[in-house]
Amino acid sequence: MNLFRTTAAVLALTTGLLALPAQAEVVQQNTSGDPTYTLEAPKGYAMAGDLIIARPLLIAGTVIGAGLFLISLPFTALGGNVKEAGQALVVEPGMSAFVRCLGCTESGYKKD
């Protein structure tokens, strides 16, 4: 009978502990008051990683995209989709590199 009680107690405690993460609620607060951060309030390590790794890669992607856009310009002009090519190769990486807040994953800038 002692083994049964011990097993039941261990099972009840384990079930209770496993259910805790399912009930936990993640609330992200906008602590800065800046409307740019209304979607996200990034942590310091996210900002540092973005500054050191992501931004230089995005700037390089913007420069490479601009070069590819110039190379593809005759073909896109013949196809009639210069605007779409410029948007995909230059504008979108440029907005991610220069408009997005530091550490955020989405741009706070809304296009009209």
Side-chain angles (χ1 to χ4, degrees):
M1 194 67 167
N2 193 14
L3 178 64
F4 177 74
R5 287 183 187 170
T6 305
T7 306
V10 167
L11 183 62
L13 288 174
T14 304
T15 305
L17 288 175
L18 289 175
L20 282 177
Q23 296 178 1
E25 183 178 336
V26 177
V27 178
Q28 197 170 33
Q29 298 290 332
N30 181 6
T31 57
S32 68
D34 187 358
T36 306
Y37 291 97
T38 55
L39 297 175
E40 300 179 62
K43 304 283 186 199
Y45 60 84
M47 290 181 176
D50 192 12
L51 180 67
I52 295 170
I53 298 169
R55 294 298 167 116
L57 290 175
L58 286 169
I59 292 169
T62 304
V63 171
I64 292 169
L68 290 174
F69 175 72
L70 289 175
I71 292 170
S72 70
L73 191 57
F75 307 108
T76 56
L78 289 173
N81 59 346
V82 174
K83 183 177 179 180
E84 292 86 2
Q87 182 75 23
L89 293 173
V90 181
V91 175
E92 289 176 5
M95 283 180 53
S96 292
F98 298 110
V99 177
R100 183 175 48 89
C101 68
L102 195 61
C104 293
T105 56
E106 294 184 16
S107 177
Y109 176 73
K110 301 285 185 222
K111 296 184 287 186
D112 292 330

